[in-house]
Amino acid sequence: MTIPIKEIIFMSLESLRLKKLRTGLAMLGIIIGVAGIMVIGVMGTTGKSLIFDEIKTFGFETVWIYRKTTPQKGRSWEPKGSGIRHDDILSLKEDIPSIRWITPVVEEKEWAHSNGVEHLTRLHYVNETFIHIENDQLHSGRFLNKTDIMSLRRVCVIGHDVAQKLFPSNSPIGEQLLVGNTFYKVIGVLKEKDRDFLKSIGASSENPNGRLFVPISISLQKNGQEIDYIQLSASSADLAITTAKQVITYLKDRHQHIFDYHFSAMKNYIDSANRILGIVSWMLGISVTIAIVVGGIGIANIMTISVIERVKEIGIRKSLGARDPDIFNQFLTESIILTSCAGLIGIIFGGLIILILMIFIGKPLLFPMSFVALSFLISLTVGVISGAFPATWASKQNPAIALRYE
Amino acid sequence: MSPLIKLTSIKKDYMIGQSQLSVLKNVSLSVEQGDFISLVGASGSGKTTLLNIIGCLDQASSGEYLFETINLSQANDKKRSSFRSHTLGFVFQQFNLIPHYTALNNVALALTYQGISKSERESRALCLLEKVGLKDRATHTPSELSGGERQRVSIARALVTNPKVILADEPTGNLDSATSQSIIALLKTIHNEGKTIILVTHDMGVAKQAKRTIYMKDGLIVEDSK
Ligand SMILES: Nc1ncnc2c1ncn2[C@@H]1O[C@H](COP(=O)(O)OP(=O)(O)O)[C@@H](O)[C@H]1O
Ligand SMILES: [Mg+2]
């Protein structure tokens, strides 16, 4: 019979305790590797959710359609205008089923006045679906509705910064706001939107909280049927690109091919974000793998030295009746204990780094338990792999020769 | 009555590079239950090799090895290690104690490989340490013990499993003559309690104390005085 695992663990701990410094140094590689996995895992998931939270403030399914202003080939004259009319929107919605929400947009920069305070805002003439397209949340009041639009009500919904600037001390709801030369009654305030990260990498330049939304019908009355661009939401992110292309073909046909159009879609940004995150995690993953492999080689090295040094001990144990599997188990257990201790220390060490980073960044980090489990599993595996060869070698020693060893 | 150990035409060869070295040329030997044999011969004559084959620490190149009725010539690791564990006790010239284990743990280790519980191991080991007069040294490591004391610990270890046979390979080779005498006296006591002993030595003074002396030369038994 082979001896029970409890005994073997006890034996292994005893031998490891004997060579503390060496054991500690051998563990370093694994400790660093495991801490690396933890930090990378946490940074990766946190980074990803940070980016995607911000992308979500545009809406994953969102598409913008503009007129392409580069001149068409073989044409000496260029038509004026945006090439999109308000009635296009209504027929688009009817004819293309993958459009979930669609709004015309007319943008103007205007000064807004209230209580003697002036603030330059970006005035958006939109319809009632805009709030859904960009996943906006209301801080208070309500958004524009169909009736506001049909009856050309002079009402507006303001962004968080506009509210802060113009109504620092009181609720803006119900207040009159002079925008340009028109008075609007404030009916809603939007919640603050965070696009700091996208802004910091140059992917978003406009302040989403400095906008002011009023009914599109007011622009139609003032400026005519032409609108600046279309913003729409496809029924799914996967359908966004085909929907955009369909809309462009549709518009070209409707306008006798006088204009050409182009689109931008959040789906494209999501894809490149995923691509970049994928590359980054691959590269980090490879470096951590290298650290762990090097650590594993370190363990294999130390185990081999330990086995060679203890050939005599192997001979003694065999003379006392140890079977080959007993010797194999003893050395394999030592290796596994070594790497799983290193794994645990690495997990604690990684956890500390994450804690420090969290304090430093000032943002909560996502801490997936699966990475803890993965790290531990990897250390166990490294223990088995690096220990298997030395342990096999140890167990195959001929006791007669081992006992002659000085 | 059939012998306890019966070796028939045992040969042991080593390949050294291209040439073959015959260490045991043709050894046949019977050992009776209760024998006290001393095995003498010049250094290099093959005494340790023969003892290792009897002890199942090594395997003969050819020949037959019977222990009672068990054929051990071609036995596998499992059989051989179980045989070593339950039937044999070894005593070596170099003591061969595990340096970082206490005397008690060194003795108890022999029982670990029989799957005996820790408390029983320790009480039996302590009992044997008492028998060899080292009860008060139980918690000492080998480096804290004298040569004679170390050899007593290793005799206690050899006895703790209550084996049939004690194989001692020059147990007094590293000891001064007074200490040697006390170790031999201890072995004699053990023999009188019923153990079969095979004792390798090249000290004729020691060898004479056995009932039977076997002389080896160049891998052959040249004389067997009963
Ligand atoms: N593993 C080995 N490989 C080659 N030669 C060996 C080996 N073990 C022992 N020998 C040789 O076998 C011979 C007998 O050795 P041994 O049995 O130890 O003799 P003794 O114990 O009588 O001094 C010696 O010449 C020794 O060099
Ligand atoms: Mg010898």
Side-chain angles (χ1 to χ4, degrees):
Chain A
M1 59 173 281
T2 49
I3 63 175
I5 186 75
K6 194 185 86 190
E7 305 283 359
I8 290 180
I9 290 173
F10 190 72
M11 275 180 197
S12 307
L13 284 174
E14 216 151 358
S15 339
L16 288 173
R17 213 185 47 208
L18 220 63
K19 299 268 155 76
K20 282 194 212 75
L21 178 66
R22 173 202 282 186
T23 306
L25 288 175
M27 292 190 333
L28 263 183
I30 305 289
I31 293 175
I32 292 169
V34 165
I37 295 180
M38 299 267 298
V39 173
I40 287 168
V42 168
M43 295 312 278
T45 22
T46 307
K48 184 165 181 170
S49 83
L50 197 76
I51 292 169
F52 277 82
D53 281 354
E54 293 198 2
I55 288 178
K56 199 174 180 200
T57 69
F58 286 103
F60 294 146
E61 305 87 1
T62 303
V63 171
W64 293 264
I65 313 251
Y66 311 86
R67 179 187 161 192
K68 200 188 258 178
T69 46
T70 47
Q72 277 186 20
K73 266 186 225 156
R75 192 160 71 180
S76 53
W77 60 280
E78 276 303 316
K80 292 216 176 333
S82 70
I84 309 172
R85 294 170 55 80
H86 184 253
D87 49 59
D88 295 339
I89 307 287
L90 301 170
S91 33
L92 276 167
K93 174 79 178 118
E94 301 239 307
D95 292 341
I96 300 179
S98 57
I99 296 175
R100 190 163 177 206
W101 292 300
I102 182 164
T103 179
V105 185
V106 174
E107 265 194 59
E108 284 171 5
K109 276 219 161 70
E110 274 293 3
W111 289 93
H113 310 258
S114 167
N115 308 319
V117 190
E118 258 190 339
H119 184 58
L120 188 62
T121 63
R122 290 175 24 247
L123 182 58
H124 282 59
Y125 296 92
V126 295
N127 72 17
E128 74 286 353
T129 64
F130 187 92
I131 188 167
H132 305 303
I133 296 174
E134 285 206 358
N135 289 311
D136 267 303
Q137 305 286 315
L138 281 161
H139 172 268
S140 55
R142 62 171 181 87
F143 198 70
L144 307 171
N145 64 25
K146 276 203 169 104
T147 324
D148 296 330
I149 308 222
M150 293 209 311
S151 6
L152 284 90
R153 284 187 186 146
R154 300 299 195 265
V155 290
C156 70
V157 175
I158 59 178
H160 175 266
D161 289 0
V162 180
Q164 293 273 300
K165 279 271 154 36
L166 296 175
F167 305 96
S169 52
N170 61 320
S171 162
I173 306 291
E175 297 290 326
Q176 288 291 328
L177 194 58
L178 180 62
V179 186
N181 46 26
T182 311
F183 274 102
Y184 292 94
K185 191 171 107 184
V186 180
I187 55 165
V189 179
L190 295 179
K191 271 195 185 154
E192 188 172 12
K193 286 190 138 178
D194 188 6
R195 288 178 185 165
D196 290 348
F197 178 74
L198 291 178
K199 199 173 170 184
S200 72
I201 61 167
S204 159
S205 53
E206 292 179 334
N207 175 9
N209 302 307
R211 295 185 291 190
L212 199 154
F213 301 93
V214 297
I216 181 68
S217 46
I218 296 169
S219 166
L220 301 182
Q221 189 192 47
K222 203 168 60 162
N223 310 316
Q225 281 290 309
E226 202 168 65
I227 59 155
D228 290 347
Y229 60 89
I230 296 171
Q231 188 167 353
L232 65 84
S233 186
S235 48
S236 77
D238 288 335
L239 284 173
I241 309 283
T242 41
T243 307
K245 288 180 177 162
Q246 272 177 288
V247 169
I248 287 174
T249 316
Y250 190 94
L251 286 176
K252 277 189 189 171
D253 287 349
R254 242 176 103 89
H255 292 270
Q256 286 84 41
H257 294 264
I258 299 168
F259 302 102
D260 197 2
Y261 303 88
H262 68 105
F263 72 91
S264 68
M266 281 320 284
K267 174 73 167 110
N268 285 332
Y269 296 112
I270 294 168
D271 289 349
S272 34
N274 273 327
R275 208 157 37 237
I276 292 166
L277 286 169
I279 292 169
V280 169
S281 52
W282 262 106
M283 285 185 344
L284 293 175
I286 287 170
S287 19
V288 166
T289 308
I290 291 172
I292 297 228
V293 167
V294 170
I297 293 170
I299 301 281
N301 193 11
I302 231 68
M303 286 311 299
T304 307
I305 293 173
S306 164
V307 168
I308 291 170
E309 276 179 354
R310 286 154 65 195
V311 166
K312 185 104 180 197
E313 181 187 323
I314 294 165
I316 296 170
R317 289 180 184 273
K318 285 198 167 182
S319 77
L320 297 177
R323 291 177 50 188
D324 291 359
D326 291 326
I327 302 291
F328 177 84
N329 289 345
Q330 184 188 344
F331 284 95
L332 190 71
T333 306
E334 266 181 45
S335 174
I336 291 172
I337 289 177
L338 207 63
T339 55
S340 43
C341 284
L344 284 178
I345 296 172
I347 287 168
I348 293 167
F349 189 53
L352 281 176
I353 295 175
I354 290 162
L355 215 69
I356 292 167
L357 281 175
M358 227 185 304
I359 294 164
F360 198 71
I361 298 172
K363 276 197 176 141
L365 301 178
L366 296 179
F367 192 90
M369 283 316 279
S370 58
F371 277 96
V372 177
L374 178 76
S375 308
F376 193 70
L377 217 71
I378 288 176
S379 356
L380 278 183
T381 313
V382 169
V384 173
I385 293 172
S386 349
F389 173 73
T392 306
W393 190 85
S395 71
K396 295 293 168 227
Q397 288 305 299
N398 174 322
I401 295 172
L403 282 166
R404 282 181 196 266
Y405 193 88
E406 287 307 315
Chain B
M1 196 182 97
S2 66
L4 188 66
I5 292 170
K6 187 162 165 54
L7 300 178
T8 316
S9 304
I10 292 291
K11 293 195 176 106
K12 179 72 182 175
D13 306 316
Y14 286 108
M15 286 306 295
I16 309 233
Q18 297 297 317
S19 61
Q20 181 174 305
L21 177 69
S22 291
V23 174
L24 294 179
K25 284 165 186 162
N26 188 354
V27 174
S28 296
L29 174 66
S30 289
V31 178
E32 305 299 327
Q33 162 71 43
D35 260 353
F36 188 167
I37 298 175
S38 63
L39 195 57
V40 294
S43 180
S45 55
K47 306 181 294 292
T48 298
T49 306
L50 181 58
L51 203 70
N52 283 346
I53 287 170
I54 294 170
C56 269
L57 293 171
D58 210 348
Q59 263 174 317
S61 307
S62 67
E64 191 181 54
Y65 175 14
L66 283 178
F67 189 92
E68 292 173 332
T69 54
I70 314 159
N71 190 335
L72 289 167
S73 322
Q74 301 299 328
N76 60 14
D77 167 63
K78 191 174 170 179
K79 251 189 176 167
R80 287 147 53 79
S81 50
S82 166
F83 174 69
R84 289 194 295 264
S85 175
H86 291 94
T87 315
L88 303 179
F90 291 92
V91 181
F92 302 97
Q93 179 177 2
Q94 307 294 339
F95 319 127
N96 287 353
L97 299 172
I98 292 181
H100 56 276
Y101 277 23
T102 61
L104 186 75
N105 285 340
N106 263 293
V107 177
L109 183 62
L111 295 171
T112 304
Y113 292 110
Q114 293 189 352
I116 287 167
S117 76
K118 191 171 156 72
S119 57
E120 188 186 339
R121 287 201 307 259
E122 288 184 349
S123 69
R124 278 171 68 177
L126 200 63
C127 194
L128 261 296
L129 281 177
E130 187 170 18
K131 182 183 167 82
V132 300
L134 287 175
K135 196 184 179 190
D136 55 337
R137 297 284 201 278
T139 59
H140 290 222
T141 57
S143 62
E144 296 161 349
L145 298 172
S146 73
E149 287 168 335
R150 288 181 209 181
Q151 199 57 298
R152 282 170 189 277
V153 173
S154 81
I155 290 171
R157 178 180 64 185
L159 289 173
V160 75
T161 55
N162 194 24
K164 288 190 171 145
V165 181
I166 299 290
L167 301 175
D169 194 351
E170 307 206 28
T172 59
N174 275 356
L175 303 174
D176 60 60
S177 58
T179 318
S180 295
Q181 264 319 307
S182 73
I183 293 295
I184 295 302
L186 181 57
L187 288 175
K188 275 183 168 167
T189 317
I190 292 162
H191 171 246
N192 290 335
E193 286 166 8
K195 302 282 181 223
T196 305
I197 297 181
I198 303 179
L199 168 72
V200 171
T201 181
H202 52 228
D203 180 335
M204 283 316 293
V206 169
K208 286 212 182 71
Q209 311 203 33
K211 288 197 301 194
R212 174 179 167 192
T213 305
I214 294 172
Y215 295 87
M216 282 190 75
K217 195 180 174 208
D218 295 335
L220 287 168
I221 293 178
V222 290
E223 200 185 324
D224 189 347
S225 75
K226 299 206 182 176

